[in-house]
Amino acid sequence: MSKHETQKGIKFMDTRTKKRFDKNPPRFIEKALRDYVRTSPQNRLDSFGGATIFDEPLVGFADGDDPIFLNYKKVVHADHFTPREILVKYLTEVKQLEALNPSQISVVSFILPIARQTRLSNTLEKEGPSLRWNHTRWQGQDFIDDLSAHLVSVLEEAGFHAVAPEISPLFKIYNLPDGFASNWSQRHMAYAAGLGTFSLNDGFITKKGMAMRCGSVVTDLKLKPSERPYKNHLANCRFHATGKCGVCMQRCPYGAITEKGHDKMKCVDALFVKQKPWIDGDCGSGYIGRYAGCGLCQTGVPCESRIPVRNSKR
Ligand code: B12
Ligand code: SF4
Ligand code: SF4
């Protein structure tokens, strides 16, 4: 490897690699993510002949001091971190570094579209997820954790501080009377980084569609923010844009989606109770994880792999 180790044990990039990084940091980061997704053996479904879990990622950047992040304390949860809060807290409390006040903060958000074969298999299902979708839920999330840690290392090796909030000890999920909320919502990061919008069923619609999983990293490297090419936080959903669609309502076997939106409590009941037979082996063997993973509302719908609205800017 073209890296060397300092006395403090921190690895830095060699001069040539650092030059390439400094020439165009966003391009370097995008390439690092793309290469990892393409080559990592972790992005493979062992039980399906090593088929790919995720296709090439979409990558976006946000200014960590964008006022939108303060708004997330209202729309997500009062304890939802701003990027600056989580980076500073992580560095001082977890890494035990001296008090820091970085002059700039950026968020790198990435979308991992789910492979076509997996989407197809889930489209054929009517009551619970396909085995392939279930493995994507759990092995796919392990891969996202791994990819996030990889990006943190790349940024640290380039001389910057970085944290992947969801895999840090600061990450929390709150069990609320009307569902769950976390203190670091990946979809809200993706929204800020111009990668897509929410929808009738809460799912996030990107230009590669809704059948995806996502992640993010916060750093004190300055990155030019991506444009947010939409009018509001629901613009990519056909139902919100035209008043028609609602295909996801029919796709949900448990009535958790209506014209009023996504009933999180019904969805939670479906995931943890109604679909327990899948995990218990009553609906086929080989299912893994704490729950089967459903996602029927993300497949067999017009927004599965694209934005189903002609111009969501309008
Ligand atoms: C808690 C959680 C759940 C809960 C609650 C889901 C929810 N809607 O919050 C339950 C258990 C029900 C759940 C189910 C599922 N989940 Co889940 N879940 C999470 C988790 C851990 C946290 C989400 C969170 O904090 N939400 C906060 C709540 C308050 O926000 P919200 O409902 O998303 O957002 C609404 C408001 O903020 C509102 N809003 C109002 N005003 C404004 C203004 C602005 C400016 C904005 C931006 C938004 C906004 O818009 C949103 C939509 O109504 C994330 C991982 C993460 N760290 O982000 C995964 C995550 C959201 N889940 C995911 C997935 C895939 C699923 C499932 C398909 C199951 C599976 N196979 O994993 C189902 C799908 C259910 C559905 N229809 O969305 C993906 C989403 C991918 C996508 N395409 O959208 C995530 C991001 C995981 C990942 N790493 O990719 N999940
Ligand atoms: S299926 Fe239609 S209504 Fe449902 S989220 Fe997708 S575009 Fe919106
Ligand atoms: S994840 Fe399943 S139960 Fe939840 S809203 Fe979508 S289809 Fe319904």
Side-chain angles (χ1 to χ4, degrees), residues 82-106:
T82 65
R84 179 172 288 278
E85 283 167 353
I86 198 152
L87 183 64
V88 171
K89 199 173 169 68
Y90 174 75
L91 295 175
T92 50
E93 290 181 16
V94 181
K95 287 217 142 183
Q96 308 253 302
L97 298 179
E98 276 170 33
L100 287 162
N101 189 15
S103 57
Q104 65 253 319
I105 303 266
S106 305

mmCIF file with all atom_site columns, all heavy atoms in Angstrom, residues 82-106:
data_model
loop_
_atom_site.group_PDB
_atom_site.id
_atom_site.type_symbol
_atom_site.label_atom_id
_atom_site.label_alt_id
_atom_site.label_comp_id
_atom_site.label_asym_id
_atom_site.label_entity_id
_atom_site.label_seq_id
_atom_site.pdbx_PDB_ins_code
_atom_site.Cartn_x
_atom_site.Cartn_y
_atom_site.Cartn_z
_atom_site.occupancy
_atom_site.B_iso_or_equiv
_atom_site.pdbx_formal_charge
_atom_site.auth_seq_id
_atom_site.auth_comp_id
_atom_site.auth_asym_id
_atom_site.auth_atom_id
_atom_site.pdbx_PDB_model_num
ATOM 1   N N   . THR A 1 82  ? -26.908 18.713 14.871 1.00 0.00 ? 82  THR A N   1
ATOM 2   C CA  . THR A 1 82  ? -26.445 19.379 13.655 1.00 0.00 ? 82  THR A CA  1
ATOM 3   C C   . THR A 1 82  ? -25.089 18.723 13.339 1.00 0.00 ? 82  THR A C   1
ATOM 4   O O   . THR A 1 82  ? -24.445 18.157 14.242 1.00 0.00 ? 82  THR A O   1
ATOM 5   C CB  . THR A 1 82  ? -26.225 20.898 13.862 1.00 0.00 ? 82  THR A CB  1
ATOM 6   O OG1 . THR A 1 82  ? -25.161 21.075 14.794 1.00 0.00 ? 82  THR A OG1 1
ATOM 7   C CG2 . THR A 1 82  ? -27.496 21.583 14.349 1.00 0.00 ? 82  THR A CG2 1
ATOM 8   N N   . PRO A 1 83  ? -24.611 18.827 12.093 1.00 0.00 ? 83  PRO A N   1
ATOM 9   C CA  . PRO A 1 83  ? -23.307 18.234 11.771 1.00 0.00 ? 83  PRO A CA  1
ATOM 10  C C   . PRO A 1 83  ? -22.185 18.779 12.661 1.00 0.00 ? 83  PRO A C   1
ATOM 11  O O   . PRO A 1 83  ? -21.329 18.035 13.123 1.00 0.00 ? 83  PRO A O   1
ATOM 12  C CB  . PRO A 1 83  ? -23.118 18.625 10.302 1.00 0.00 ? 83  PRO A CB  1
ATOM 13  C CG  . PRO A 1 83  ? -24.523 18.733 9.774  1.00 0.00 ? 83  PRO A CG  1
ATOM 14  C CD  . PRO A 1 83  ? -25.321 19.326 10.889 1.00 0.00 ? 83  PRO A CD  1
ATOM 15  N N   . ARG A 1 84  ? -22.229 20.094 12.937 1.00 0.00 ? 84  ARG A N   1
ATOM 16  C CA  . ARG A 1 84  ? -21.177 20.674 13.791 1.00 0.00 ? 84  ARG A CA  1
ATOM 17  C C   . ARG A 1 84  ? -21.243 20.070 15.199 1.00 0.00 ? 84  ARG A C   1
ATOM 18  O O   . ARG A 1 84  ? -20.219 19.687 15.775 1.00 0.00 ? 84  ARG A O   1
ATOM 19  C CB  . ARG A 1 84  ? -21.332 22.208 13.845 1.00 0.00 ? 84  ARG A CB  1
ATOM 20  C CG  . ARG A 1 84  ? -20.311 22.902 14.708 1.00 0.00 ? 84  ARG A CG  1
ATOM 21  C CD  . ARG A 1 84  ? -20.395 24.412 14.571 1.00 0.00 ? 84  ARG A CD  1
ATOM 22  N NE  . ARG A 1 84  ? -19.894 24.887 13.284 1.00 0.00 ? 84  ARG A NE  1
ATOM 23  C CZ  . ARG A 1 84  ? -18.605 25.092 13.002 1.00 0.00 ? 84  ARG A CZ  1
ATOM 24  N NH1 . ARG A 1 84  ? -17.687 24.866 13.922 1.00 0.00 ? 84  ARG A NH1 1
ATOM 25  N NH2 . ARG A 1 84  ? -18.231 25.511 11.817 1.00 0.00 ? 84  ARG A NH2 1
ATOM 26  N N   . GLU A 1 85  ? -22.459 19.967 15.744 1.00 0.00 ? 85  GLU A N   1
ATOM 27  C CA  . GLU A 1 85  ? -22.598 19.417 17.099 1.00 0.00 ? 85  GLU A CA  1
ATOM 28  C C   . GLU A 1 85  ? -22.020 18.007 17.174 1.00 0.00 ? 85  GLU A C   1
ATOM 29  O O   . GLU A 1 85  ? -21.289 17.666 18.102 1.00 0.00 ? 85  GLU A O   1
ATOM 30  C CB  . GLU A 1 85  ? -24.078 19.371 17.507 1.00 0.00 ? 85  GLU A CB  1
ATOM 31  C CG  . GLU A 1 85  ? -24.660 20.712 17.911 1.00 0.00 ? 85  GLU A CG  1
ATOM 32  C CD  . GLU A 1 85  ? -26.186 20.699 18.007 1.00 0.00 ? 85  GLU A CD  1
ATOM 33  O OE1 . GLU A 1 85  ? -26.832 19.683 17.640 1.00 0.00 ? 85  GLU A OE1 1
ATOM 34  O OE2 . GLU A 1 85  ? -26.739 21.705 18.425 1.00 0.00 ? 85  GLU A OE2 1
ATOM 35  N N   . ILE A 1 86  ? -22.374 17.172 16.191 1.00 0.00 ? 86  ILE A N   1
ATOM 36  C CA  . ILE A 1 86  ? -21.939 15.764 16.325 1.00 0.00 ? 86  ILE A CA  1
ATOM 37  C C   . ILE A 1 86  ? -20.439 15.611 16.108 1.00 0.00 ? 86  ILE A C   1
ATOM 38  O O   . ILE A 1 86  ? -19.783 14.835 16.809 1.00 0.00 ? 86  ILE A O   1
ATOM 39  C CB  . ILE A 1 86  ? -22.759 14.795 15.448 1.00 0.00 ? 86  ILE A CB  1
ATOM 40  C CG1 . ILE A 1 86  ? -22.548 13.374 15.984 1.00 0.00 ? 86  ILE A CG1 1
ATOM 41  C CG2 . ILE A 1 86  ? -22.426 14.868 13.971 1.00 0.00 ? 86  ILE A CG2 1
ATOM 42  C CD1 . ILE A 1 86  ? -23.643 12.408 15.763 1.00 0.00 ? 86  ILE A CD1 1
ATOM 43  N N   . LEU A 1 87  ? -19.863 16.394 15.194 1.00 0.00 ? 87  LEU A N   1
ATOM 44  C CA  . LEU A 1 87  ? -18.417 16.253 14.968 1.00 0.00 ? 87  LEU A CA  1
ATOM 45  C C   . LEU A 1 87  ? -17.646 16.716 16.205 1.00 0.00 ? 87  LEU A C   1
ATOM 46  O O   . LEU A 1 87  ? -16.738 16.017 16.683 1.00 0.00 ? 87  LEU A O   1
ATOM 47  C CB  . LEU A 1 87  ? -17.967 17.021 13.712 1.00 0.00 ? 87  LEU A CB  1
ATOM 48  C CG  . LEU A 1 87  ? -16.486 16.848 13.374 1.00 0.00 ? 87  LEU A CG  1
ATOM 49  C CD1 . LEU A 1 87  ? -16.154 15.391 13.014 1.00 0.00 ? 87  LEU A CD1 1
ATOM 50  C CD2 . LEU A 1 87  ? -16.036 17.754 12.238 1.00 0.00 ? 87  LEU A CD2 1
ATOM 51  N N   . VAL A 1 88  ? -18.029 17.881 16.743 1.00 0.00 ? 88  VAL A N   1
ATOM 52  C CA  . VAL A 1 88  ? -17.304 18.412 17.907 1.00 0.00 ? 88  VAL A CA  1
ATOM 53  C C   . VAL A 1 88  ? -17.464 17.474 19.111 1.00 0.00 ? 88  VAL A C   1
ATOM 54  O O   . VAL A 1 88  ? -16.501 17.135 19.799 1.00 0.00 ? 88  VAL A O   1
ATOM 55  C CB  . VAL A 1 88  ? -17.773 19.860 18.227 1.00 0.00 ? 88  VAL A CB  1
ATOM 56  C CG1 . VAL A 1 88  ? -17.207 20.332 19.554 1.00 0.00 ? 88  VAL A CG1 1
ATOM 57  C CG2 . VAL A 1 88  ? -17.367 20.806 17.101 1.00 0.00 ? 88  VAL A CG2 1
ATOM 58  N N   . LYS A 1 89  ? -18.695 16.979 19.336 1.00 0.00 ? 89  LYS A N   1
ATOM 59  C CA  . LYS A 1 89  ? -18.946 16.086 20.471 1.00 0.00 ? 89  LYS A CA  1
ATOM 60  C C   . LYS A 1 89  ? -18.145 14.782 20.315 1.00 0.00 ? 89  LYS A C   1
ATOM 61  O O   . LYS A 1 89  ? -17.551 14.277 21.265 1.00 0.00 ? 89  LYS A O   1
ATOM 62  C CB  . LYS A 1 89  ? -20.448 15.777 20.542 1.00 0.00 ? 89  LYS A CB  1
ATOM 63  C CG  . LYS A 1 89  ? -20.929 15.248 21.883 1.00 0.00 ? 89  LYS A CG  1
ATOM 64  C CD  . LYS A 1 89  ? -22.454 15.149 21.879 1.00 0.00 ? 89  LYS A CD  1
ATOM 65  C CE  . LYS A 1 89  ? -23.013 14.397 23.043 1.00 0.00 ? 89  LYS A CE  1
ATOM 66  N NZ  . LYS A 1 89  ? -22.865 15.015 24.356 1.00 0.00 ? 89  LYS A NZ  1
ATOM 67  N N   . TYR A 1 90  ? -18.128 14.278 19.107 1.00 0.00 ? 90  TYR A N   1
ATOM 68  C CA  . TYR A 1 90  ? -17.405 13.026 18.847 1.00 0.00 ? 90  TYR A CA  1
ATOM 69  C C   . TYR A 1 90  ? -15.900 13.213 19.110 1.00 0.00 ? 90  TYR A C   1
ATOM 70  O O   . TYR A 1 90  ? -15.261 12.396 19.778 1.00 0.00 ? 90  TYR A O   1
ATOM 71  C CB  . TYR A 1 90  ? -17.654 12.588 17.399 1.00 0.00 ? 90  TYR A CB  1
ATOM 72  C CG  . TYR A 1 90  ? -16.856 11.386 16.981 1.00 0.00 ? 90  TYR A CG  1
ATOM 73  C CD1 . TYR A 1 90  ? -17.202 10.104 17.407 1.00 0.00 ? 90  TYR A CD1 1
ATOM 74  C CD2 . TYR A 1 90  ? -15.731 11.529 16.160 1.00 0.00 ? 90  TYR A CD2 1
ATOM 75  C CE1 . TYR A 1 90  ? -16.450 8.997  17.043 1.00 0.00 ? 90  TYR A CE1 1
ATOM 76  C CE2 . TYR A 1 90  ? -14.983 10.425 15.780 1.00 0.00 ? 90  TYR A CE2 1
ATOM 77  C CZ  . TYR A 1 90  ? -15.346 9.168  16.223 1.00 0.00 ? 90  TYR A CZ  1
ATOM 78  O OH  . TYR A 1 90  ? -14.606 8.078  15.854 1.00 0.00 ? 90  TYR A OH  1
ATOM 79  N N   . LEU A 1 91  ? -15.356 14.325 18.600 1.00 0.00 ? 91  LEU A N   1
ATOM 80  C CA  . LEU A 1 91  ? -13.911 14.530 18.738 1.00 0.00 ? 91  LEU A CA  1
ATOM 81  C C   . LEU A 1 91  ? -13.516 14.778 20.196 1.00 0.00 ? 91  LEU A C   1
ATOM 82  O O   . LEU A 1 91  ? -12.511 14.246 20.663 1.00 0.00 ? 91  LEU A O   1
ATOM 83  C CB  . LEU A 1 91  ? -13.449 15.697 17.857 1.00 0.00 ? 91  LEU A CB  1
ATOM 84  C CG  . LEU A 1 91  ? -13.613 15.464 16.347 1.00 0.00 ? 91  LEU A CG  1
ATOM 85  C CD1 . LEU A 1 91  ? -13.249 16.715 15.564 1.00 0.00 ? 91  LEU A CD1 1
ATOM 86  C CD2 . LEU A 1 91  ? -12.769 14.279 15.867 1.00 0.00 ? 91  LEU A CD2 1
ATOM 87  N N   . THR A 1 92  ? -14.352 15.555 20.913 1.00 0.00 ? 92  THR A N   1
ATOM 88  C CA  . THR A 1 92  ? -13.968 15.867 22.290 1.00 0.00 ? 92  THR A CA  1
ATOM 89  C C   . THR A 1 92  ? -14.322 14.739 23.260 1.00 0.00 ? 92  THR A C   1
ATOM 90  O O   . THR A 1 92  ? -13.523 14.351 24.084 1.00 0.00 ? 92  THR A O   1
ATOM 91  C CB  . THR A 1 92  ? -14.623 17.196 22.760 1.00 0.00 ? 92  THR A CB  1
ATOM 92  O OG1 . THR A 1 92  ? -16.010 17.128 22.468 1.00 0.00 ? 92  THR A OG1 1
ATOM 93  C CG2 . THR A 1 92  ? -14.017 18.383 22.079 1.00 0.00 ? 92  THR A CG2 1
ATOM 94  N N   . GLU A 1 93  ? -15.529 14.157 23.110 1.00 0.00 ? 93  GLU A N   1
ATOM 95  C CA  . GLU A 1 93  ? -15.955 13.163 24.114 1.00 0.00 ? 93  GLU A CA  1
ATOM 96  C C   . GLU A 1 93  ? -15.540 11.734 23.779 1.00 0.00 ? 93  GLU A C   1
ATOM 97  O O   . GLU A 1 93  ? -15.181 10.969 24.651 1.00 0.00 ? 93  GLU A O   1
ATOM 98  C CB  . GLU A 1 93  ? -17.482 13.213 24.283 1.00 0.00 ? 93  GLU A CB  1
ATOM 99  C CG  . GLU A 1 93  ? -17.890 14.498 24.960 1.00 0.00 ? 93  GLU A CG  1
ATOM 100 C CD  . GLU A 1 93  ? -19.391 14.606 25.171 1.00 0.00 ? 93  GLU A CD  1
ATOM 101 O OE1 . GLU A 1 93  ? -20.102 13.588 25.085 1.00 0.00 ? 93  GLU A OE1 1
ATOM 102 O OE2 . GLU A 1 93  ? -19.835 15.740 25.407 1.00 0.00 ? 93  GLU A OE2 1
ATOM 103 N N   . VAL A 1 94  ? -15.600 11.373 22.514 1.00 0.00 ? 94  VAL A N   1
ATOM 104 C CA  . VAL A 1 94  ? -15.270 9.984  22.159 1.00 0.00 ? 94  VAL A CA  1
ATOM 105 C C   . VAL A 1 94  ? -13.774 9.852  21.884 1.00 0.00 ? 94  VAL A C   1
ATOM 106 O O   . VAL A 1 94  ? -13.103 8.986  22.412 1.00 0.00 ? 94  VAL A O   1
ATOM 107 C CB  . VAL A 1 94  ? -16.105 9.505  20.951 1.00 0.00 ? 94  VAL A CB  1
ATOM 108 C CG1 . VAL A 1 94  ? -15.775 8.053  20.608 1.00 0.00 ? 94  VAL A CG1 1
ATOM 109 C CG2 . VAL A 1 94  ? -17.600 9.662  21.222 1.00 0.00 ? 94  VAL A CG2 1
ATOM 110 N N   . LYS A 1 95  ? -13.237 10.779 21.083 1.00 0.00 ? 95  LYS A N   1
ATOM 111 C CA  . LYS A 1 95  ? -11.802 10.677 20.748 1.00 0.00 ? 95  LYS A CA  1
ATOM 112 C C   . LYS A 1 95  ? -10.923 11.403 21.757 1.00 0.00 ? 95  LYS A C   1
ATOM 113 O O   . LYS A 1 95  ? -9.694  11.335 21.662 1.00 0.00 ? 95  LYS A O   1
ATOM 114 C CB  . LYS A 1 95  ? -11.574 11.242 19.352 1.00 0.00 ? 95  LYS A CB  1
ATOM 115 C CG  . LYS A 1 95  ? -12.096 10.304 18.255 1.00 0.00 ? 95  LYS A CG  1
ATOM 116 C CD  . LYS A 1 95  ? -11.203 10.329 17.075 1.00 0.00 ? 95  LYS A CD  1
ATOM 117 C CE  . LYS A 1 95  ? -11.013 9.012  16.419 1.00 0.00 ? 95  LYS A CE  1
ATOM 118 N NZ  . LYS A 1 95  ? -10.076 9.087  15.304 1.00 0.00 ? 95  LYS A NZ  1
ATOM 119 N N   . GLN A 1 96  ? -11.573 12.139 22.700 1.00 0.00 ? 96  GLN A N   1
ATOM 120 C CA  . GLN A 1 96  ? -10.864 12.830 23.780 1.00 0.00 ? 96  GLN A CA  1
ATOM 121 C C   . GLN A 1 96  ? -9.802  13.804 23.269 1.00 0.00 ? 96  GLN A C   1
ATOM 122 O O   . GLN A 1 96  ? -8.713  13.910 23.845 1.00 0.00 ? 96  GLN A O   1
ATOM 123 C CB  . GLN A 1 96  ? -10.197 11.798 24.700 1.00 0.00 ? 96  GLN A CB  1
ATOM 124 C CG  . GLN A 1 96  ? -11.150 10.727 25.178 1.00 0.00 ? 96  GLN A CG  1
ATOM 125 C CD  . GLN A 1 96  ? -11.515 10.897 26.630 1.00 0.00 ? 96  GLN A CD  1
ATOM 126 O OE1 . GLN A 1 96  ? -10.664 10.906 27.479 1.00 0.00 ? 96  GLN A OE1 1
ATOM 127 N NE2 . GLN A 1 96  ? -12.797 11.045 26.885 1.00 0.00 ? 96  GLN A NE2 1
ATOM 128 N N   . LEU A 1 97  ? -10.130 14.525 22.179 1.00 0.00 ? 97  LEU A N   1
ATOM 129 C CA  . LEU A 1 97  ? -9.205  15.556 21.693 1.00 0.00 ? 97  LEU A CA  1
ATOM 130 C C   . LEU A 1 97  ? -9.524  16.862 22.420 1.00 0.00 ? 97  LEU A C   1
ATOM 131 O O   . LEU A 1 97  ? -10.605 17.022 22.979 1.00 0.00 ? 97  LEU A O   1
ATOM 132 C CB  . LEU A 1 97  ? -9.383  15.755 20.178 1.00 0.00 ? 97  LEU A CB  1
ATOM 133 C CG  . LEU A 1 97  ? -9.092  14.539 19.299 1.00 0.00 ? 97  LEU A CG  1
ATOM 134 C CD1 . LEU A 1 97  ? -9.339  14.868 17.836 1.00 0.00 ? 97  LEU A CD1 1
ATOM 135 C CD2 . LEU A 1 97  ? -7.647  14.082 19.484 1.00 0.00 ? 97  LEU A CD2 1
ATOM 136 N N   . GLU A 1 98  ? -8.581  17.809 22.369 1.00 0.00 ? 98  GLU A N   1
ATOM 137 C CA  . GLU A 1 98  ? -8.832  19.099 23.021 1.00 0.00 ? 98  GLU A CA  1
ATOM 138 C C   . GLU A 1 98  ? -9.962  19.825 22.315 1.00 0.00 ? 98  GLU A C   1
ATOM 139 O O   . GLU A 1 98  ? -10.212 19.574 21.131 1.00 0.00 ? 98  GLU A O   1
ATOM 140 C CB  . GLU A 1 98  ? -7.568  19.955 22.943 1.00 0.00 ? 98  GLU A CB  1
ATOM 141 C CG  . GLU A 1 98  ? -6.602  19.632 24.053 1.00 0.00 ? 98  GLU A CG  1
ATOM 142 C CD  . GLU A 1 98  ? -5.268  20.307 23.833 1.00 0.00 ? 98  GLU A CD  1
ATOM 143 O OE1 . GLU A 1 98  ? -5.246  21.407 23.278 1.00 0.00 ? 98  GLU A OE1 1
ATOM 144 O OE2 . GLU A 1 98  ? -4.261  19.686 24.207 1.00 0.00 ? 98  GLU A OE2 1
ATOM 145 N N   . ALA A 1 99  ? -10.610 20.790 23.043 1.00 0.00 ? 99  ALA A N   1
ATOM 146 C CA  . ALA A 1 99  ? -11.755 21.522 22.464 1.00 0.00 ? 99  ALA A CA  1
ATOM 147 C C   . ALA A 1 99  ? -11.422 22.057 21.079 1.00 0.00 ? 99  ALA A C   1
ATOM 148 O O   . ALA A 1 99  ? -10.364 22.632 20.862 1.00 0.00 ? 99  ALA A O   1
ATOM 149 C CB  . ALA A 1 99  ? -12.126 22.660 23.385 1.00 0.00 ? 99  ALA A CB  1
ATOM 150 N N   . LEU A 1 100 ? -12.322 21.800 20.143 1.00 0.00 ? 100 LEU A N   1
ATOM 151 C CA  . LEU A 1 100 ? -12.091 22.192 18.755 1.00 0.00 ? 100 LEU A CA  1
ATOM 152 C C   . LEU A 1 100 ? -13.244 23.040 18.278 1.00 0.00 ? 100 LEU A C   1
ATOM 153 O O   . LEU A 1 100 ? -14.381 22.838 18.690 1.00 0.00 ? 100 LEU A O   1
ATOM 154 C CB  . LEU A 1 100 ? -12.056 20.936 17.869 1.00 0.00 ? 100 LEU A CB  1
ATOM 155 C CG  . LEU A 1 100 ? -10.845 20.035 17.967 1.00 0.00 ? 100 LEU A CG  1
ATOM 156 C CD1 . LEU A 1 100 ? -11.182 18.681 17.401 1.00 0.00 ? 100 LEU A CD1 1
ATOM 157 C CD2 . LEU A 1 100 ? -9.695  20.647 17.199 1.00 0.00 ? 100 LEU A CD2 1
ATOM 158 N N   . ASN A 1 101 ? -12.964 23.979 17.387 1.00 0.00 ? 101 ASN A N   1
ATOM 159 C CA  . ASN A 1 101 ? -14.040 24.750 16.780 1.00 0.00 ? 101 ASN A CA  1
ATOM 160 C C   . ASN A 1 101 ? -13.737 24.874 15.292 1.00 0.00 ? 101 ASN A C   1
ATOM 161 O O   . ASN A 1 101 ? -13.222 25.899 14.839 1.00 0.00 ? 101 ASN A O   1
ATOM 162 C CB  . ASN A 1 101 ? -14.162 26.120 17.470 1.00 0.00 ? 101 ASN A CB  1
ATOM 163 C CG  . ASN A 1 101 ? -15.414 26.839 17.006 1.00 0.00 ? 101 ASN A CG  1
ATOM 164 O OD1 . ASN A 1 101 ? -16.295 26.223 16.409 1.00 0.00 ? 101 ASN A OD1 1
ATOM 165 N ND2 . ASN A 1 101 ? -15.475 28.136 17.244 1.00 0.00 ? 101 ASN A ND2 1
ATOM 166 N N   . PRO A 1 102 ? -13.992 23.820 14.514 1.00 0.00 ? 102 PRO A N   1
ATOM 167 C CA  . PRO A 1 102 ? -13.595 23.831 13.102 1.00 0.00 ? 102 PRO A CA  1
ATOM 168 C C   . PRO A 1 102 ? -14.188 25.022 12.355 1.00 0.00 ? 102 PRO A C   1
ATOM 169 O O   . PRO A 1 102 ? -15.327 25.408 12.622 1.00 0.00 ? 102 PRO A O   1
ATOM 170 C CB  . PRO A 1 102 ? -14.183 22.523 12.560 1.00 0.00 ? 102 PRO A CB  1
ATOM 171 C CG  . PRO A 1 102 ? -14.517 21.701 13.743 1.00 0.00 ? 102 PRO A CG  1
ATOM 172 C CD  . PRO A 1 102 ? -14.751 22.629 14.885 1.00 0.00 ? 102 PRO A CD  1
ATOM 173 N N   . SER A 1 103 ? -13.409 25.599 11.446 1.00 0.00 ? 103 SER A N   1
ATOM 174 C CA  . SER A 1 103 ? -13.921 26.770 10.721 1.00 0.00 ? 103 SER A CA  1
ATOM 175 C C   . SER A 1 103 ? -14.942 26.348 9.661  1.00 0.00 ? 103 SER A C   1
ATOM 176 O O   . SER A 1 103 ? -15.758 27.149 9.244  1.00 0.00 ? 103 SER A O   1
ATOM 177 C CB  . SER A 1 103 ? -12.773 27.543 10.093 1.00 0.00 ? 103 SER A CB  1
ATOM 178 O OG  . SER A 1 103 ? -12.045 26.685 9.252  1.00 0.00 ? 103 SER A OG  1
ATOM 179 N N   . GLN A 1 104 ? -14.894 25.112 9.233  1.00 0.00 ? 104 GLN A N   1
ATOM 180 C CA  . GLN A 1 104 ? -15.913 24.649 8.289  1.00 0.00 ? 104 GLN A CA  1
ATOM 181 C C   . GLN A 1 104 ? -16.285 23.196 8.555  1.00 0.00 ? 104 GLN A C   1
ATOM 182 O O   . GLN A 1 104 ? -15.475 22.440 9.100  1.00 0.00 ? 104 GLN A O   1
ATOM 183 C CB  . GLN A 1 104 ? -15.444 24.796 6.840  1.00 0.00 ? 104 GLN A CB  1
ATOM 184 C CG  . GLN A 1 104 ? -14.267 23.935 6.452  1.00 0.00 ? 104 GLN A CG  1
ATOM 185 C CD  . GLN A 1 104 ? -13.007 24.754 6.296  1.00 0.00 ? 104 GLN A CD  1
ATOM 186 O OE1 . GLN A 1 104 ? -13.063 25.846 5.743  1.00 0.00 ? 104 GLN A OE1 1
ATOM 187 N NE2 . GLN A 1 104 ? -11.902 24.254 6.793  1.00 0.00 ? 104 GLN A NE2 1
ATOM 188 N N   . ILE A 1 105 ? -17.504 22.864 8.166  1.00 0.00 ? 105 ILE A N   1
ATOM 189 C CA  . ILE A 1 105 ? -18.004 21.498 8.377  1.00 0.00 ? 105 ILE A CA  1
ATOM 190 C C   . ILE A 1 105 ? -18.761 21.109 7.102  1.00 0.00 ? 105 ILE A C   1
ATOM 191 O O   . ILE A 1 105 ? -19.492 21.928 6.545  1.00 0.00 ? 105 ILE A O   1
ATOM 192 C CB  . ILE A 1 105 ? -19.018 21.438 9.546  1.00 0.00 ? 105 ILE A CB  1
ATOM 193 C CG1 . ILE A 1 105 ? -18.409 21.966 10.850 1.00 0.00 ? 105 ILE A CG1 1
ATOM 194 C CG2 . ILE A 1 105 ? -19.591 20.045 9.705  1.00 0.00 ? 105 ILE A CG2 1
ATOM 195 C CD1 . ILE A 1 105 ? -17.798 20.951 11.751 1.00 0.00 ? 105 ILE A CD1 1
ATOM 196 N N   . SER A 1 106 ? -18.588 19.882 6.662  1.00 0.00 ? 106 SER A N   1
ATOM 197 C CA  . SER A 1 106 ? -19.366 19.410 5.503  1.00 0.00 ? 106 SER A CA  1
ATOM 198 C C   . SER A 1 106 ? -19.951 18.040 5.809  1.00 0.00 ? 106 SER A C   1
ATOM 199 O O   . SER A 1 106 ? -19.428 17.296 6.632  1.00 0.00 ? 106 SER A O   1
ATOM 200 C CB  . SER A 1 106 ? -18.472 19.267 4.269  1.00 0.00 ? 106 SER A CB  1
ATOM 201 O OG  . SER A 1 106 ? -17.806 20.463 4.008  1.00 0.00 ? 106 SER A OG  1
#
